[in-house]
DNA sequence: TGCCAATCCTTACAAATGATAACATTTTAC
DNA sequence: GTAAAATGTTATCATTTGTAAGGATTGGCA
């Protein structure tokens, strides 16, 4: 579909542009130049222009970028104009915290169900969504056209569950388990959030960067 | 201290090496060659050797790497042989979830306190740690030699709190608020976990990579 | 013991990727 | 109608990654 491959580094920057544009929008800023945006964000203007040009020309010479327009264009690029049906697997502390986070819903990620193996959790309700037994997950995904599964389960269980999800047609997995999931189906994408690794990086930098740069 | 600057790309890979070595250790694997590790991790053997060589020669020619030894050496590099005193600011769902996560404690990140402005939360106990009022945070940080603050507060409040923490001597901030903190003190390091951005990246990839590679 | 195979450490270099700078063109604004 | 501003685009520079090769050291085996 898309002719040239967009590099991962660019993709990772888009949400940040989106965030800054959202804030400009809240402050009723109508237009912005790559130069000014670059100063606010701490990147080069050149990089902003080049990043955006991967997807088309959203600005106008002599004028800059219309904030509202660019904001919505980036939303389209990121696929945020779609609505996604989401389930959370693992209704422990983290799973419940994510289910409670209403900001995701605002962006179109609608949580349709929670699942857990723990009988104590099955039946309780989080923001009006009942926690169901893991045995029903396959059926639920198929009957409700679930797009995304959030995985907050122990690392031992994650690979098996992931494969189960893949075989019943999930499109994406947001993985919080500290393990690299091996997914056979290339249509399914996995996005990892490895909190422990992030914390270790912080530890390294405290140890080594303290008093530099 | 360290003569040459280690690139960020290398640092980000270290925790993953550490995780794989930990699993090898659990499986009682005594030694491993860069070749075999590279096959398991899906990277090149050369990269592994070069990454590790940034910090010293941990292997032996003709033998490979001793798993236990390398595991502990990487822990030292990452600063995991230290114990860090941690506080969590924002005792909402995410804050409580992180406070409940015992794995961090195993790695030496010991949670010493939780803080919130909400009077309903102040006084409750999470894993034996009482939630305190935000008014007391400065005093607490100074009296208890707190190293790291975990920030799970609304984005509007984050910058102010961050500056407060910096001025009372915190060393690192693990930031979950969707905002880029501007820290004046260069000794203080900030590690961001922007969950929304991660989710948007997933959205993009579902939209664009489905059916590829 | 003595040799061969395995494997690391190191250096060099090529290729790919990413970031910055420069420039030409278009538009705004007066 | 002109000058300034700002994009889109091309070119250049920098970083990262991958590959290769050679020397050095160890383990294993006859």
């Amino acid at each position: 579909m898309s002719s040239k491959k967009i590099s991962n580094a660019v993709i990772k920057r888009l949400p940040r542009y989106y965030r800054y544009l959202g804030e400009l929008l809240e402050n009723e800023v109508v237009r912005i130049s790559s130069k000014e945006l670059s100063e606010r964000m701490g990147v080069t203007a050149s990089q902003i222009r080049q990043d955006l040009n991967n997807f088309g020309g959203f600005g106008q010479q002599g004028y800059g970028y219309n904030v509202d327009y660019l904001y919505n264009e980036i939303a389209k690029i990121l696929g945020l104009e779609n609505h996604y049906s989401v389930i959370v697997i693992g209704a422990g502390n983290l799973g419940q915290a994510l289910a409670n986070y209403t900001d995701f819903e605002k962006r179109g990620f609608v949580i349709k169900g929670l699942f857990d193996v723990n009988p104590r959790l099955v039946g309780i309700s989080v923001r009006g969504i009942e926690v169901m037994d893991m045995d029903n997950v396959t059926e639920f995904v198929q009957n409700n056209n679930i797009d995304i599964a959030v995985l907050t389960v122990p690392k031992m269980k994650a690979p098996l569950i992931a494969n189960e999800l893949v075989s019943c047609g999930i499109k994406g997995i947001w993985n919080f388990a500290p393990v690299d999931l091996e997914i056979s189906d290339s249509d399914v994408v996995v996005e990892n959030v490895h909190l422990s690794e992030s914390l270790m990086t912080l530890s390294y930098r405290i140890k080594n960067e303290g008093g530099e740069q």
Side-chain angles (χ1 to χ4, degrees), chain A:
Chain A
M1 181 170 285
S2 54
S3 48
K4 70 186 160 199
K5 165 82 177 167
I6 310 290
S7 97
N8 217 285
V10 176
I11 310 302
K12 289 261 175 88
R13 283 194 291 266
L14 286 180
R16 186 152 178 263
Y17 294 142
Y18 187 68
R19 173 156 57 84
Y20 272 81
L21 288 164
E23 282 174 12
L24 289 170
L25 214 51
E26 280 174 17
N27 296 331
E28 293 172 6
V29 176
V30 175
R31 75 185 219 187
I32 189 142
S33 68
S34 60
K35 182 163 179 287
E36 195 188 335
L37 187 58
S38 75
E39 283 159 4
R40 292 187 187 227
M41 296 186 66
V43 298
T44 63
S46 195
Q47 183 170 68
I48 293 177
R49 291 203 299 276
Q50 254 196 5
D51 281 353
L52 296 177
N53 255 96
N54 282 304
F55 305 97
F58 302 122
Q60 279 186 315
Q61 280 116 328
Y63 177 87
Y65 298 89
N66 178 290
V67 174
D68 185 59
Y69 175 69
L70 184 56
Y71 181 77
N72 286 301
E73 285 300 311
I74 294 181
K76 282 188 206 165
I77 294 166
L78 290 171
L80 303 180
E81 86 286 8
N82 304 335
H83 273 227
Y84 293 99
S85 294
V86 180
I87 57 172
V88 177
I89 303 189
N93 291 297
L94 183 56
Q96 289 191 35
L98 294 172
N100 269 307
Y101 199 53
T102 52
D103 274 22
F104 298 146
E105 204 126 331
K106 280 184 206 155
R107 293 275 151 73
F109 300 92
V110 185
I111 294 179
K112 295 289 176 71
L114 283 116
F115 293 86
D116 208 293
V117 288
N118 187 342
R120 281 196 209 166
L121 292 173
V122 173
I124 71 164
S125 184
V126 178
R127 252 181 68 224
I129 307 154
E130 195 186 359
V131 177
M132 289 169 271
D133 193 283
M134 268 304 284
D135 292 343
N136 306 322
V137 73
T138 305
E139 197 189 343
F140 190 89
V141 168
Q142 288 168 337
N143 292 348
N144 295 274
N145 284 312
I146 301 300
D147 304 299
I148 295 174
V150 183
L151 262 196
T152 63
V153 300
K155 69 172 177 179
M156 297 299 290
K157 295 184 178 172
L160 204 64
I161 295 173
N163 279 325
E164 200 178 332
L165 292 166
V166 168
S167 66
C168 60
I170 209 95
K171 290 177 190 150
I173 296 176
W174 201 24
N175 176 43
F176 286 75
V179 61
D180 297 320
L181 301 175
E182 313 268 339
I183 302 296
S184 50
D185 188 335
S186 66
D187 284 8
V188 179
V189 299
V190 177
E191 179 79 18
N192 292 305
V193 180
H194 289 332
L195 295 177
S196 289
E197 299 186 5
S198 168
L199 192 50
M200 290 182 203
T201 307
L202 178 64
S203 168
Y204 174 87
R205 292 174 54 207
I206 288 175
K207 185 160 167 277
N208 295 84
E209 280 176 30
E212 282 179 35
Q213 228 255 58

